[in-house]
Amino acid sequence: MAFKPANNIQDLQYFGEFGGVNPSISDSSTYTFLSAKTMFDTFEGNADGCYLYSRHSSPSNLYLGEALAAMEGTETANVSASGMGAITPVIMQLCSAGDHIVSSRTIYGGTYAFFKNFTPKFNINTSFVDITKLDLVEAAITKNTKIIYCESVSNPLLEVADINGLAKIAKKHGLKLVVDNTFSPLSISPATLGADIVIHSLTKFINGSSDTVGGVVCGTQEFINDLRNVNDGASMLLGSTMDSLRAASILKNLRTLHIRMQQHSKNGLYLAEKFEADGLKTVYPGLKSHPSHELFKTMMNKDYGFGGMLTIDVGSIEKANELMELMQNNNLGYLAVSLGFYKTLFSAPGSSTSSEIPEEEQKEMGLSDGLIRFSIGLDADIERTYQMMHECMVKLNILN
Ligand code: PLP
């Protein structure tokens, strides 16, 4: 039977402390005990349903984690203060000094910088490969490799990972396949395709209101317990805990994710088709011209489309900047990094979210100066948006 991630969220039932339709928010950093023994047992992890201290766990964070695990089809999940606060502990938990990672070369700039500049301080080294070429991925594996790392749809080039294929390679070599699914929530469910660990920056589509940062790691109970272990758990000890008030507000936004993703995807496909027909170099997984269009179709949960992210290339950074400024002046969206907002957001990744990647490597991976990354908004009238964007492009001689 087809995997139905939004049903899994819908089917959870919560009641607040006083019968409220939303769970009560646990606005406390610490918890009292009627007996010292129960406190000890809780610390040891032997008192189910008791809370000790909110960096360890809190009811609000557990509710949100439970909903995200239901969405991804994993046993459980651990929420964190940011997407990077989810990614970095996973890597530090799975790798020790001397270990090796095979990573997609097109990933979020912060993750790239972590692998390239930070983990080598602990003698954890990464080979960056073209993730769409499974033979290159396998060839990069060494006896020290522990992880294959990728994004389902990559930031910013929108390369699509063959999660089934990568999972087979990971299994064959005894590795963990870690997938960042930030760009394609609901559309792609990596765990159902064989990923061991699924990560999101909740900052983006899942929260959807650009008012907080947040992250989550979805995985097995055993792995999440490891992350939370008071003695050697990377999430516990590195301490990137989400605040309870935020967890409660993200949970409320999560309930409309299915409707929002449908609209983001509808608008994304509409604009991508129009831009391509205009002759703009357009990348969108929903276009037949996308090299992984067919692959995406085999992996996707059909109700949610190809997502809200697209790129166009207008030739130079100067033109890209002019266009973005004009679009913002015409209230077509914001010149801003990040994604998943109700307004369209646009930025030139080469000089912003991917600036951690050296220029030469940007060129090699096809990240050109004139590339503009769009996170398409929830516009009710996307035809009007297109017409206004088209006028901006004509005015700047990007289109005739
Ligand atoms: N993963 C992806 C694909 C991202 O785009 C980002 C942020 O832009 C992150 C992870 C990091 O998330 P956060 O900014 O919430 O730490």
Side-chain angles (χ1 to χ4, degrees):
M1 207 174 69
F3 185 70
K4 298 276 187 188
N7 286 5
N8 296 349
I9 298 171
Q10 172 90 34
D11 290 347
L12 293 169
Q13 195 179 44
Y14 301 105
F15 296 108
E17 199 178 349
F18 304 103
V21 294
N22 289 302
S24 307
I25 301 173
S26 53
D27 193 21
S28 294
S29 57
T30 191
Y31 301 81
T32 58
F33 291 85
L34 293 178
S35 84
K37 177 166 184 326
T38 321
M39 180 186 260
F40 176 78
D41 289 344
T42 305
F43 199 82
E44 294 285 300
N46 298 327
D48 259 7
C50 291
Y51 297 91
L52 181 83
Y53 183 62
S54 284
R55 176 160 48 75
H56 299 191
S57 71
S58 69
S60 300
N61 288 13
L62 292 186
Y63 282 130
L64 177 61
E66 187 189 341
L68 291 163
M71 178 181 88
E72 288 298 357
T74 59
E75 284 175 16
T76 189
N78 188 55
V79 297
S80 55
S82 69
M84 288 309 292
I87 293 165
T88 56
V90 166
I91 304 305
M92 298 316 279
Q93 192 71 33
L94 292 175
C95 293
S96 305
D99 286 344
H100 174 252
I101 298 162
V102 176
S103 169
S104 167
R105 63 182 183 178
T106 80
I107 48 173
Y108 166 59
T111 314
Y112 180 89
F114 182 66
F115 288 153
K116 179 96 177 173
N117 308 325
F118 197 92
T119 56
K121 291 198 281 191
F122 301 94
N123 195 21
I124 299 165
N125 293 295
T126 300
S127 300
F128 295 97
V129 298
D130 179 344
I131 203 73
T132 65
K133 303 216 164 70
L134 294 181
D135 51 338
L136 296 186
V137 173
E138 190 156 22
I141 294 169
T142 71
K143 65 178 190 342
N144 297 326
T145 307
K146 291 287 182 314
I147 295 174
I148 299 177
Y149 186 93
C150 68
E151 295 170 359
S152 342
V153 178
S154 78
N155 184 357
L157 294 179
L158 311 182
E159 287 179 351
V160 177
D162 176 353
I163 298 171
N164 258 315
L166 291 168
K168 280 190 191 122
I169 296 173
K171 219 173 225 106
K172 180 172 153 196
H173 294 270
L175 315 178
K176 295 284 182 225
L177 176 61
V178 181
V179 179
D180 178 338
N181 199 28
T182 301
F183 273 32
S184 45
L186 297 179
S187 294
I188 296 179
S189 303
T192 67
L193 301 165
D196 297 292
I197 294 160
V198 183
I199 294 175
H200 283 276
S201 165
L202 302 176
T203 316
K204 314 294 162 41
F205 289 104
I206 290 182
N207 184 53
S209 49
S210 291
D211 56 0
T212 188
V213 287
V216 70
V217 179
C218 304
T220 61
Q221 188 70 55
E222 187 184 359
F223 182 65
I224 299 299
N225 287 351
D226 286 350
L227 282 176
R228 288 187 183 143
N229 189 297
V230 288
N231 294 307
D232 62 2
S235 293
M236 178 68 68
L237 298 176
L238 296 173
S240 64
T241 308
M242 177 175 278
D243 181 73
S244 289
L245 296 176
R246 276 306 182 192
S249 80
I250 296 171
L251 179 63
K252 283 175 258 185
N253 288 354
L254 177 66
R255 295 171 183 154
T256 57
L257 180 65
H258 57 302
I259 303 167
R260 289 186 281 113
M261 285 316 296
Q262 285 168 352
Q263 188 73 4
H264 284 300
S265 289
K266 177 173 160 253
N267 288 350
L269 181 63
Y270 182 89
L271 288 181
E273 285 178 342
K274 289 287 188 189
F275 290 159
E276 186 169 64
D278 283 338
L280 285 169
K281 205 169 146 196
T282 309
V283 175
Y284 181 72
L287 292 175
K288 286 197 181 71
S289 58
H290 190 289
S292 301
H293 175 65
E294 291 304 321
L295 169 66
F296 197 115
K297 284 206 299 195
T298 66
M299 295 196 294
M300 75 194 291
N301 298 313
K302 296 221 165 10
D303 292 343
Y304 305 104
F306 296 91
M309 301 303 295
L310 67 84
T311 68
I312 59 171
D313 192 335
V314 294
S316 68
I317 185 67
E318 292 76 21
K319 270 279 172 253
N321 289 342
E322 271 184 273
L323 177 60
M324 292 190 294
E325 286 168 11
L326 183 59
M327 287 192 297
Q328 177 162 262
N329 286 340
N330 290 356
N331 201 8
L332 285 163
Y334 296 134
L335 171 45
V337 298
S338 203
L339 41 131
F341 198 36
Y342 82 103
K343 282 260 197 192
T344 293
L345 304 178
F346 30 80
S347 57
S351 54
S352 59
T353 48
S354 298
S355 59
E356 295 92 340
I357 303 172
E359 248 173 70
E360 226 162 74
E361 288 174 42
Q362 290 193 19
K363 275 209 181 81
E364 211 180 292
M365 63 175 71
L367 207 174
S368 51
D369 273 356
L371 193 83
I372 303 178
R373 186 189 76 180
F374 285 77
S375 162
I376 306 300
L378 299 172
D379 311 28
D381 186 352
I382 197 67
E383 290 173 34
R384 183 189 70 157
T385 302
Y386 165 68
Q387 273 155 15
M388 289 170 71
M389 284 183 175
H390 186 90
E391 278 162 29
C392 293
M393 292 178 197
V394 170
K395 193 165 177 190
L396 297 176
N397 291 321
I398 294 165
L399 292 176
N400 299 316

